[in-house]
Amino acid sequence: MNQPLYSTHRKHTIHTQNYTTTNSISISTTTNSTMPHIAPSTISREKASLSDSDVDLKLFIKDVDDPHSRKRILSLKSWSSIKDVKDHIQKLLHVPPACQRLYFGPLMTAKSFLPNHWTLQDAGIYKNDETLFLEIKDRDHLKASSSSNGINNLNSNSSSISTLKSKANDICVSKSLLTHTPKELRRLIQQARRGMSMGFKPNLVLDGSGGTYFLHDARKCRVGVFKPADEEPYAENNPRGHVRMEDGNGNSSCAGGMSMREGIQPGEACLREVAAYLLDHGGFADVPLTTLAEARHPAFHQNGSMLNLNQGGAAVGSHSLLQQGSSCSAELIEKVGSFQEYVSGECCMDDLSPRRLP
């Protein structure tokens, strides 16, 4: 009987001591019992590494006209704006920000350059080792002024295969993929350029759901296929009528977005074609020669010019009835898309049954 009384009395004593201890002791006891002990040095190192990863970004700047395709490293803050990036480039290359155009991605169109008020996060840049393409305007004027000041950082590519002729129907290799374009494919683009200069216009292919054009050489033989990015299915200038309809406020009628395949946005199919060629090592899958190209010709579809009323021709483009005071511009628009080697075939995929596919 004494032993149970002793144990009960001891429990009561311990319970009383817990209430008579100070608050600091009780809090420390609770903390040690529920949370593991972390050294202060470990916490400081974790905070330092976290702050470094959130603050500093190391990006590559590639001048698209550099014949050596060099990449220069810039260390920037994650919240930096495009104007801040241009200021760093000015210190590095002595190029005024007004003469710089930055692009994130290989599609270097007039609508895809990054505006000055955007931040790096607005452009989709969140991690290190991303590459920004730099295009310098008025390079000849800057090169003359820089040489007079003893600055020789401005290099220009003497190859005209990557530059469109001024105010003429022409096609060239996109500067962002010039280094990945083989000589054989450059030769084909040069032949298509001669065909355009002789007046052979691109022919719209009847098959398919997007804008596909046959290009010819000086003998009017088909040498290439050009697919503009803005004429893909549900892109803004699709010649088949597969376009996103917009109301007077500029809102798309399809809230969830429209595309031919899930995960492929309109204007990105040309990039997938180029990637398929670059990944076809050794020609294992026989993917035709493919690269990004820039072209200019009035035969390309622009602002619903090839659509009738049943296809929405009066509801899209700059001549839309929903846009008051707008007029169709006669200026030729430069288009970017995929250029593929022309390969003759007996039929298209729409003529084959699924049973014939492996």
Side-chain angles (χ1 to χ4, degrees):
M1 295 295 296
N2 293 334
Q3 186 173 359
L5 290 177
Y6 175 77
S7 60
T8 305
H9 177 71
R10 184 174 179 83
K11 291 181 181 179
H12 178 72
T13 303
I14 296 174
H15 182 70
T16 305
Q17 288 179 356
N18 288 337
Y19 276 94
T20 56
T21 53
T22 59
N23 293 333
S24 60
I25 297 177
S26 62
I27 293 174
S28 62
T29 305
T30 305
T31 303
N32 293 332
S33 60
T34 58
M35 295 181 62
H37 178 71
I38 302 177
S41 59
T42 305
I43 299 177
S44 61
R45 287 196 301 268
E46 291 180 355
K47 289 183 177 180
S49 60
L50 183 60
S51 61
D52 293 341
S53 61
D54 290 343
V55 173
D56 294 333
L57 283 178
K58 291 184 179 180
L59 305 179
F60 293 100
I61 303 297
K62 181 180 179 180
D63 186 0
V64 294
D65 292 318
D66 188 358
H68 304 289
S69 301
R70 291 172 294 184
K71 292 184 179 181
R72 296 173 173 86
I73 301 177
L74 288 182
S75 296
L76 301 165
K77 303 298 182 181
S78 59
W79 56 80
S80 298
S81 63
I82 301 301
K83 181 60 170 59
D84 298 333
V85 179
K86 291 183 178 180
D87 292 338
H88 283 75
I89 296 177
Q90 182 181 15
K91 297 178 182 179
L92 183 63
L93 299 179
H94 304 280
V95 179
C99 299
Q100 303 177 23
R101 278 191 176 182
L102 293 177
Y103 302 88
F104 182 55
L107 287 179
M108 300 175 58
T109 61
K111 298 181 180 179
S112 62
F113 70 91
L114 304 179
N116 291 334
H117 65 275
W118 276 21
T119 62
L120 294 177
Q121 295 182 356
D122 295 335
I125 302 175
Y126 302 97
K127 58 182 181 180
N128 296 326
D129 302 332
E130 297 286 2
T131 301
L132 291 176
F133 292 97
L134 170 64
E135 183 181 19
I136 301 177
K137 301 182 298 181
D138 301 330
R139 180 179 292 270
D140 296 335
H141 176 72
L142 291 175
K143 188 175 182 180
S145 60
S146 62
S147 60
S148 61
N149 296 330
I151 301 173
N152 297 321
N153 289 333
L154 293 178
N155 295 317
S156 61
N157 195 344
S158 59
S159 176
S160 61
I161 193 63
S162 62
T163 304
L164 289 174
K165 299 178 183 178
S166 177
K167 297 181 181 180
N169 302 329
D170 196 17
I171 186 171
C172 68
V173 182
S174 180
K175 297 178 180 178
S176 59
L177 284 180
L178 181 61
T179 57
H180 299 282
T181 304
K183 293 183 179 180
E184 184 179 356
L185 188 54
R186 296 186 189 184
R187 191 180 305 110
L188 293 176
I189 293 181
Q190 191 66 32
Q191 294 176 5
R193 166 177 280 185
R194 295 193 189 101
M196 281 189 176
S197 63
M198 296 184 63
F200 299 141
K201 70 175 185 179
N203 292 336
L204 179 64
V205 182
L206 298 179
D207 298 323
S209 57
T212 304
Y213 299 87
F214 287 144
L215 303 182
H216 308 82
D217 60 2
R219 297 176 297 176
K220 207 175 180 178
C221 297
R222 296 173 181 175
V223 294
V225 180
F226 181 65
K227 303 176 184 179
D230 62 344
E231 297 189 23
E232 294 179 4
Y234 298 107
E236 55 182 347
N237 291 315
N238 182 267
R240 317 288 184 183
H242 304 294
V243 295
R244 293 184 179 183
M245 308 302 294
E246 295 182 355
D247 55 15
N249 298 326
N251 299 322
S252 176
S253 61
C254 184
M258 303 176 68
S259 61
M260 290 297 294
R261 296 181 181 178
E262 184 179 358
I264 304 177
Q265 294 298 323
E268 295 182 353
C270 59
L271 300 178
R272 296 173 63 90
E273 292 181 354
V274 176
Y277 166 70
L278 296 178
L279 295 176
D280 186 19
H281 302 290
F284 178 78
D286 291 334
V287 179
L289 300 175
T290 311
T291 188
L292 281 182
E294 301 177 7
R296 186 197 301 120
H297 200 280
F300 296 138
H301 185 238
Q302 183 68 27
N303 293 329
S305 59
M306 297 183 183
L307 301 181
N308 53 33
L309 293 178
N310 295 331
Q311 294 175 327
V316 296
S318 59
H319 64 282
S320 171
L321 299 178
L322 299 177
Q323 298 177 359
Q324 299 179 359
S326 61
S327 60
C328 185
S329 175
E331 181 182 0
L332 295 178
I333 305 298
E334 299 179 4
K335 296 205 171 189
V336 179
S338 62
F339 179 90
Q340 282 188 331
E341 174 191 8
Y342 174 77
V343 179
S344 60
E346 298 179 355
C347 59
C348 62
M349 292 299 299
D350 296 336
D351 300 332
L352 297 179
S353 172
R355 297 180 179 179
R356 299 292 301 273
L357 299 179

